[in-house]
Amino acid sequence: MGFFIAQLLTGLANAGALFMVASGLSLIFGVTRIVNFAHGSFYMLGAYVGYSLMQVLPGAVGFWTSILLAGVIVGLIGVIVEICVLRPVYRAPELFQLVATFGVILVIQDLTLMTWGAEDVLGPRAPGLTGVVRIMGEPVPKYDLALLVITPFVALGLWYLITRTRVGVLVRAATQDREMVGALGVNQSWLFTGVFFLGCALAGLGGALQLPKGGADLLMDFNILTAVFVVVVIGGMGSLPGAYLAAVLISVLGVFGVTYMPQSTLVLMFVIMVLVLMIRPYGLFGRPEVAGEHGQVGEPERPIKPAGPRARMIVAAGLALLALMPVYGSNFTLVLATDILIFCLFAASLHFILGLGGLVSFGHAAFFGGGAYVAALLVTYADTPMELALLLAPLGAGMAAIIIGWVCLRLTGVYFAMLTLAFSQLLWSLVFQWGEVTRGDDGLVNIWPSAWASGTTVYFYLSLVICTGGILFLRHAAHAPFGYALRAARDSARQAEATGIDTKRVQWAAFALAGAMAGVAGGLFVFSKGSVFPNELEIARSFDALIVVFLGGVKTLAGGVVGGVALEGVKDILTRFEYWRLALGVLIIVVVIVAPDGLVGTARKLAERWGILRGAEDGK
Amino acid sequence: MLEIASVNSFYGKAHVLSDLSFTVQRGQVAALLGRNGAGKSTTMKSIMQLVVPRSGQVRFMGHDLVGLAPHRVAKMGLGYVPEDRRIFTDLTVLENLEVGRQPSREGTVTWTRDMLFDLFPNLAERRNNRGKEMSGGEQQMLTIARTLMGNPSFVLLDEPSEGIAPVIVEQMARVILQLKSEGLTVLLSEQNLHFARAVADVAVIIEGGAQKFHGTLAELNAQPEIRDAYLSV
């Protein structure tokens, strides 16, 4: 019994930081409609900044002052990010800001590395709160008890701010209809900046508060991000009580999971989330997203037309150049080209559901990594030949997509996105923790192609044929009636339903097709590398594909491919430098600000302005 | 007080207002009349800069508004009551009013909650109810009251009589006349000629986003062919 209570108390104490970060994310999303991927980075900054302050400020007063100051400083850093990075892109297409926040993650990672070094930082003990208290004979750290008291006060303060002050009223009003708030004379820019300050300060506070428990390290940002997404989804986007309850639920279960089921702690979190969502699709306290915000009508979608003769010639020339690559390229360029081809197919498959279907998936790596693991497991345990494994990889990934799609497509918008992310994390944690089968972090190795395809050149041709075929197939599907139905479901689900299209079924089929195509890419990937590790299923992998699709251009068919080539190419150059993340992050942010239509869209606009291409008006 | 000069507005590529011009004098109640899709709401939004006109001028007390942020337009004393009400459904009546509250302004009435509750007695009873718990008529009253909390000198009312019960339409008419007696200038859009007759001094008729008639209601009454051509009766 004593053990049980001690565990419960630790779980409740752990909930504190999680709640603060989650409520910050939730607030920012509510008002600005931005899912701030960089929120985990602000949490990490809070820990590091707090640590540095504690080195300078002595004693108990210094300790607590440091924590408060860390919150304020991180909040101010958030304000700088909001003004410099997000303000210029508020008018960009919805969700484009995601890419900008991902750039922010990379920048903060490297700046943190520069400032504090790669070594993990051991958190200072809280003066006066070291040691344990015995509760029914079980030791409970004093600091945990302090956290237990502090968190409800922060939660109450936040609740008071939101429900009882003018600022809170404006925040809640803006969450529903920010344009109307502006028309009533409230300067939205400052409201956005203020909310960003508050949200980031909460994240920083959370990071600094957990210092004595966990210290600070460079992996904190992604580690908390997943948990925060889960908390926000379980609690319901925009609900503070929901965030609190979900944080407690996840933390307490986490503590008990470590004790009773150490092999499945990660999986447990996602299983709970899926269960909650099956019963309450919008979280415990959430509400369905309001479809169609009030606002100005944007430029109408430009219809996607089949490639004209000139475009076909360019593509044919490009393919010919690629096919001749073994003649003029080195072995190294062939390997790089193979990587890029595989990545392009992966990105094109995400583009298919995202661009044409309007289904923003944050977890597309599940199918890429899934396909890779299917192939690798088949080879490792059944000595399957490469040819068969390459066929079964998309089948496995497609099956996974059918199941995951069935659950996720019950939701829309940001809930759909977060649910896909959770599923990909579920797969990742399965692979990561089920060591007996998947060898966990050690990965599966020695997975080589059949003898005939083992040469670099032959494998390059194999990838060229399969990836080009896959991309052309997706392109073909976009121009087939199926593609029309998919786009109709994206633009107006109701209208599409009224004309007899079963929108959910069409989207489900598209999701499965995209999953299978990602599986093809995953299968090719394994045999090109000879090994696979869990990080092929990670968030970062999904984000890679997202960045590529957004940077390339969501509204153009070539977007996925062009973005894929650009990102992999740039990465190949940049990773030779020590602080390549910083450079890549800055580059991403600059592209987002300068070219909000993506590379292809912006290039087309420029070409039209200079008279190289005919504009849409002339095309009529 | 308000001068619209050759305004052209677009929704994407659709040309909604073409060379629209008219003026509203201080203290007038002007009715903007026209059929569904004539461009009445777009006119209102183009004044508020919720739709930014591609060309032309919107002059309010001598300042051109085109290109200003909507909150700046509101701060200059223009109050906007949208057609679809757009009250904050999760906020209480009092909180909705709080969102609209702005400092008092020289040369116009400073509204307090109590004054608004006198004007709309139904709201007083429901002050702690959430927006979504209210009837359509009550929501219409709330959206007007919310805008008045900003102490505007000029009120834009987009279809105030749409979709509410006849008894409340009468109340709306009384409210508009009271606003006029307090010295406010009002531009309201309407499909309902009877309602316009009850409250307005002048009428502007638009069709296809262009002005077709501009004159007093007496002049409009004297030309039934205009009414028949541009307004469905």
Side-chain angles (χ1 to χ4, degrees), chain B residues 94-153:
Chain B
L94 287 177
E95 286 172 339
N96 266 283
L97 295 180
E98 176 63 26
V99 177
R101 185 168 62 85
Q102 291 289 332
S104 57
R105 203 184 308 279
E106 240 177 85
T108 185
V109 204
T110 301
W111 296 88
T112 61
R113 285 176 190 166
D114 290 335
M115 288 162 71
L116 289 169
F117 287 150
D118 285 342
L119 198 61
F120 301 105
N122 307 40
L123 293 184
E125 295 162 23
R126 314 211 57 176
R127 62 180 77 197
N128 289 317
N129 284 67
R130 283 171 195 269
K132 62 184 163 201
E133 295 159 3
M134 314 216 320
S135 71
E138 287 168 334
Q139 291 192 351
Q140 186 65 48
M141 295 174 198
L142 177 56
T143 179
I144 294 176
R146 183 180 65 179
T147 298
L148 290 177
M149 282 298 279
N151 308 315
S153 53

Side-chain angles (χ1 to χ4, degrees), chain A residues 559-615:
Chain A
V561 176
V562 172
V565 175
L567 183 73
E568 283 291 285
V570 167
K571 256 191 174 174
D572 181 66
I573 298 167
L574 286 181
T575 41
R576 294 169 198 175
F577 301 102
E578 192 184 356
Y579 294 114
W580 64 274
R581 285 191 190 84
L582 179 65
L584 183 63
V586 170
L587 193 70
I588 288 174
I589 293 170
V590 168
V591 172
V592 166
I593 294 173
V594 178
D597 292 313
L599 295 176
V600 177
T602 305
R604 186 164 62 187
K605 270 198 180 158
L606 286 179
E608 280 169 15
R609 195 175 305 158
W610 295 334
I612 303 169
L613 268 178
R614 275 192 306 161

